[in-house]
Amino acid sequence: MDYKHKGTLSKGGMVNMDEIKNAVELLLKARRVSALTGAGMSAESGIQTFRDKDGIWTKMDPMKWATREGYLENPRLVWEWYEARRNQVKNSKPNDGHRAMAEFEKIFGHFSVATQNIDGFHKLSGSKNVHELHGNIFRNKCFDENKILEELDESTIPPRCPHCGALARPDVVWFGEVLPQEVWEAAFDDAKNSDVYMVVGTSGTVYPAAGLAAIAKKNDAKVVIINPEDSEIDLLADVLIKGKSGEVLPEILRGLQAGK
Ligand code: BV8
């Protein structure tokens, strides 16, 4: 199967073409494919990642502030931090990597994405089978009742629950909080039953999400990692593509469309 890539890939252009071809060959044989994505997936949309040099961690330490304790310590600071991130997402849009991944659903018998991202960009770009492991920044819930709030009492900052008056909070999973049960189980099952498991744009540092790659590997999936830098789970890779998701994923899609 031979195809010529259209774009010029960053990092020397041809550097990843052999690895991309290896990934395409694995994927052409796969029926069930799933992916785990992280902040790097949205980096080319202009959304700051957590650990890259201009990342979110440098300004606000999520280990302190993306927690129940941090929110209770300074609700206004944390609420405004999320508002700033919501605005960043509102002023951005999904990139070619999201769109290519959405196309995978039409190619494989089963394709799903487990994302650590809270920006909603996978669904926005057309993916339907998406597990939002860490919630969604545009949803709010009552801090006490844990119920989703469609409306807020906006007479204060942060706003409050209109039913019980407790603080409203973003419907995201903070450090020290368990992931939504059904979402985790669905992502776990998809990892366990995949023929190929793609890991895109994640440093692989946050658990249990990062552990999905090892679950896939342990159940005989071939693991394809896409990241311009090293990650903490590179050892699991059968194919390691050092490149940007917004460039590599469209190339993989082109290869699949040429090869199928
Ligand atoms: C849990 C939502 C069970 C909020 C996030 C103490 C007590 C309790 C738990 C722990 C503890 N100590 C450790 C833990 C476990 C903890 C954890 O893993 N900590 C780590 C830091 C050690 N996990 C938890 O707390 C989880 N819950 O364990 O519950 C429990 C419960 C109670 C008591 C005990 C146990 C919950 C974790 C969820 C946290 N919420 N997000 C918000 O966003 O504000 S995590 C957040 O950070 C993201 O969701 C994501 O998961 C993580 C960031 O990781 P990445 O996405 O990988 O981003 P990063 O910047 O790191 O990397 C970007 C990558 O992209 C880089 O590799 C870069 O090279 C690459 N890249 C850059 N550009 C591109 C690119 N790739 C491709 N293309 C490009 N163009």
Side-chain angles (χ1 to χ4, degrees):
M1 184 268 308
D2 197 8
Y3 70 97
K4 282 274 158 283
H5 76 88
K6 300 270 180 319
T8 43
L9 294 181
S10 54
K11 282 201 145 194
M14 301 301 288
V15 67
N16 294 306
M17 287 324 286
D18 287 348
E19 288 309 317
I20 288 178
K21 267 177 102 169
N22 292 340
V24 169
E25 271 151 28
L26 284 179
L27 287 162
L28 283 170
K29 290 181 275 191
R31 200 182 63 75
R32 292 182 62 88
V33 178
S34 285
L36 169 68
T37 65
M41 188 78 211
S42 297
E44 289 154 275
S45 299
I47 308 285
Q48 288 168 356
T49 67
F50 285 76
R51 288 172 185 77
D52 291 338
K53 58 188 181 326
D54 59 350
I56 298 170
W57 297 85
T58 49
K59 296 164 188 69
M60 288 274 287
D61 176 5
M63 288 309 288
K64 174 169 174 52
W65 298 112
T67 60
R68 293 174 67 86
E69 299 72 22
Y71 191 48
L72 292 176
E73 182 183 320
N74 195 331
R76 187 179 185 110
L77 173 74
V78 177
W79 180 264
E80 289 181 344
W81 179 43
Y82 279 92
E83 281 294 284
R85 291 169 65 191
R86 281 182 176 123
N87 290 332
Q88 196 181 45
V89 174
K90 276 182 201 154
N91 295 325
S92 315
K93 55 186 185 359
N95 61 59
D96 291 343
H98 294 102
R99 283 186 284 276
M101 198 164 262
E103 288 301 305
F104 291 169
E105 282 186 5
K106 301 170 191 159
I107 293 177
F108 299 106
H110 172 93
F111 184 81
S112 69
V113 192
T115 187
Q116 299 171 86
N117 301 338
I118 59 176
D119 55 32
F121 277 1
H122 281 298
K123 286 184 182 169
L124 202 57
S125 53
S127 288
K128 295 194 177 31
N129 200 352
V130 181
H131 310 306
E132 291 184 321
L133 299 171
H134 295 158
N136 184 301
I137 200 167
F138 292 107
R139 275 197 312 266
N140 292 303
K141 65 181 181 182
C142 173
F143 192 93
D144 287 357
E145 298 165 331
N146 218 26
K147 288 198 190 102
I148 298 297
L149 296 174
E150 299 302 338
E151 288 176 4
L152 302 173
D153 166 2
E154 313 225 34
S155 57
T156 60
I157 297 181
R160 289 187 171 268
C161 169
H163 315 298
C164 74
L167 285 170
R169 57 161 284 183
D171 181 28
V172 299
V173 178
W174 279 332
F175 287 103
E177 292 188 318
V178 290
L179 278 59
Q181 176 93 18
E182 317 87 71
V183 173
W184 171 250
E185 283 172 2
F188 184 96
D189 283 348
D190 282 343
K192 193 160 164 283
N193 297 310
S194 54
D195 302 316
V196 174
Y197 200 71
M198 304 177 80
V199 178
V200 187
T202 182
S203 58
T205 46
V206 173
Y207 283 82
L212 288 167
I215 290 158
K217 184 86 177 182
K218 193 161 137 271
N219 288 278
D220 303 327
K222 295 291 183 199
V223 174
V224 175
I225 293 184
I226 300 170
N227 192 326
E229 308 299 335
D230 297 344
S231 86
E232 301 209 351
I233 48 179
D234 282 355
L235 281 181
L236 295 172
D238 295 284
V239 177
L240 187 56
I241 304 174
K242 288 283 176 218
K244 294 181 174 180
S245 47
E247 296 176 2
V248 171
L249 288 169
E251 283 302 325
I252 289 177
L253 176 62
R254 266 192 275 277
L256 291 171
Q257 289 166 337
K260 69 171 196 260

